[in-house]
Amino acid sequence: MSWITLFLMGTDLFVVSPLLPFISKEFVLSPALAGWMVTVFAVTYALSAPFFGWISDKKGRRKFVTFGLLLFVLANILTAYAPSFLLLIVSRILVGFSAASITPTIYAIIGDIAPPSRRGTWLSIVISGHLTALWAGAPFGTLLEHFFGWRSVFVVLAILGAILSAINFKTWASIPNKSKTKITRQGNSSRILGSVSVTAIWAISMYSLYVYLGSALYSENHFSSSKIAEAVIFYGVGAVLGSLLSGKLTDHFGETKISKVTLILLTFILICLGIFFSYGELVYVFLFLWALVGYAGFTSYQARLAMEYPLKRGIAMAWNNTALYIGITIGSMIGGFVISNGGFHLLPFVSSAAVFISFLISLQKTKKSKKASAF
């Protein structure tokens, strides 16, 4: 159920981008102005997720997943029937609130109910639902637009959201309001913010490059639209497999070790991607490896946070998702600056440097944790 719910959330997020040309045409907008549909969603999510995480820790998770899905239904109905672009923007703000209520809360629920020895695997399966939307949900939405128009996509999303709201309400009826796990580490806000800074810099490294991937493949490799689509599929499949593989490795070797190893591997893979990017179809291999290792690291780090903050999983997961969206926003800005001033060929190396910084912060965090444990 969690997998399907996050697949729906991911589809709603990823499907907007390929629909923007059709929305722009209907409302007679420039692509940049239509892109605000994505921006307001991301900003709303980043600002509101910590609040929902904090309150779910105190009031119980079930009601906020259900509330989020009902709001998701209303927001997508408004998107589907919005007569003006202003109401379209309002609807995407509401979707941002709904996703902020649902996604980190689902992660926290899984962290609460999963056996400690299986927490990595459980989280990896749930996260793979969100990532599967990247290469399966969004293309399906685009196909739906081809036959029935872009508004039909959001009608279908609303219908599915309504069904899932009832199922989730029943599914999570038996979970406790608060985790009963014995606390192993002080979960104060400053320490949580320090922890999620690793995710923020990881997101900068991933999305400063990914946002401009299609443009780069077109300009540097002269790929057709079909080849660009193939490249994205390689990336998407790598992301899903990386998330699933990470769960098994995390349960076997531990959250801390896998999160650090994947960060250092990602540093070298991005360097190789920069060197071999213009080597035709060989880039598919490095796109696959980039996503495989990158999202394995993200999944293992989610499990690490769930382990380190057992009594504040809701707020920790929420801040981690806020850090993710902040990193995506900053990464897109850095990517645009690098491309404008130095060209795309520099971007993989800049991303590699960002990952290495994230790795160094992760090491410092581990040292502080060991000192606290010894004390």
Side-chain angles (χ1 to χ4, degrees), residues 227-250:
K227 283 195 171 184
I228 292 174
E230 289 173 2
V232 172
I233 290 174
F234 270 86
Y235 180 92
V237 171
V240 174
L241 290 179
S243 177
L244 294 173
L245 178 64
S246 173
K248 298 289 186 181
L249 294 175
T250 295

Side-chain angles (χ1 to χ4, degrees), residues 68-351:
L69 282 164
L70 291 175
L71 182 59
F72 179 86
V73 173
L74 293 174
N76 274 284
I77 289 173
L78 181 57
T79 302
Y81 295 102
S84 67
F85 185 65
L86 177 60
L87 284 178
L88 206 57
I89 289 294
V90 171
S91 74
R92 301 321 289 171
I93 291 174
L94 294 177
V95 173
F97 279 121
S98 70
S101 175
I102 297 166
T103 306
T105 307
I106 289 287
Y107 291 150
I109 287 174
I110 299 304
D112 288 343
I113 66 176
S117 62
R118 298 280 293 165
R119 186 177 291 131
T121 298
W122 285 33
L123 279 170
S124 70
I125 292 171
V126 171
I127 292 171
S128 73
H130 194 271
L131 298 176
T132 300
L134 179 65
W135 63 273
F140 176 76
T142 307
L143 183 65
L144 197 63
E145 186 283 329
H146 178 74
F147 291 102
F148 303 105
W150 67 267
R151 293 180 184 271
S152 67
V153 177
F154 299 100
V155 172
V156 172
L157 288 172
I159 293 171
L160 294 175
I163 296 170
L164 286 175
S165 65
I167 297 175
N168 272 274
F169 184 76
K170 184 176 181 180
T171 299
W172 307 123
S174 61
I175 65 168
N177 280 349
K178 294 183 180 180
S179 172
K180 303 300 182 183
T181 309
K182 183 179 178 181
I183 190 164
T184 59
R185 184 180 174 190
Q186 179 65 33
N188 60 63
S189 298
S190 61
R191 184 165 287 163
I192 291 174
L193 291 176
S195 297
V196 302
S197 66
V198 174
T199 295
I201 300 175
W202 171 89
I204 290 172
S205 73
M206 294 292 286
Y207 288 91
S208 61
L209 183 55
Y210 179 77
V211 168
Y212 301 97
L213 180 62
S215 300
L217 289 170
Y218 179 79
S219 61
E220 301 290 322
N221 284 10
H222 308 292
F223 275 14
S224 64
S225 58
S226 61
K227 283 195 171 184
I228 292 174
E230 289 173 2
V232 172
I233 290 174
F234 270 86
Y235 180 92
V237 171
V240 174
L241 290 179
S243 177
L244 294 173
L245 178 64
S246 173
K248 298 289 186 181
L249 294 175
T250 295
D251 288 339
H252 190 270
F253 295 104
E255 301 89 346
T256 302
K257 183 177 293 185
I258 296 302
S259 65
K260 289 190 294 185
V261 169
T262 51
L263 285 173
I264 199 66
L265 282 176
L266 186 59
T267 302
F268 290 107
I269 289 171
L270 284 167
I271 292 173
C272 292
L273 179 63
I275 295 172
F276 295 105
F277 190 86
S278 299
Y279 281 61
E281 283 78 5
L282 182 62
V283 74
Y284 291 169
V285 176
F286 290 103
L287 290 178
F288 174 82
L289 292 175
W290 170 32
L292 181 79
V293 176
Y295 283 96
F298 177 73
T299 302
S300 65
Y301 199 71
Q302 291 268 63
R304 182 175 171 180
L305 290 174
M307 178 269 293
E308 291 181 345
Y309 302 103
L311 296 187
K312 291 194 174 183
R313 285 198 182 105
I315 189 64
M317 294 301 180
W319 273 114
N320 197 52
N321 277 262
T322 291
L324 174 66
Y325 278 86
I326 290 173
I328 291 171
T329 303
I330 296 175
S332 63
M333 295 169 62
I334 291 175
F337 177 81
V338 172
I339 289 173
S340 299
N341 292 275
F344 178 84
H345 65 280
L346 293 177
L347 200 48
F349 301 104
V350 173
S351 296

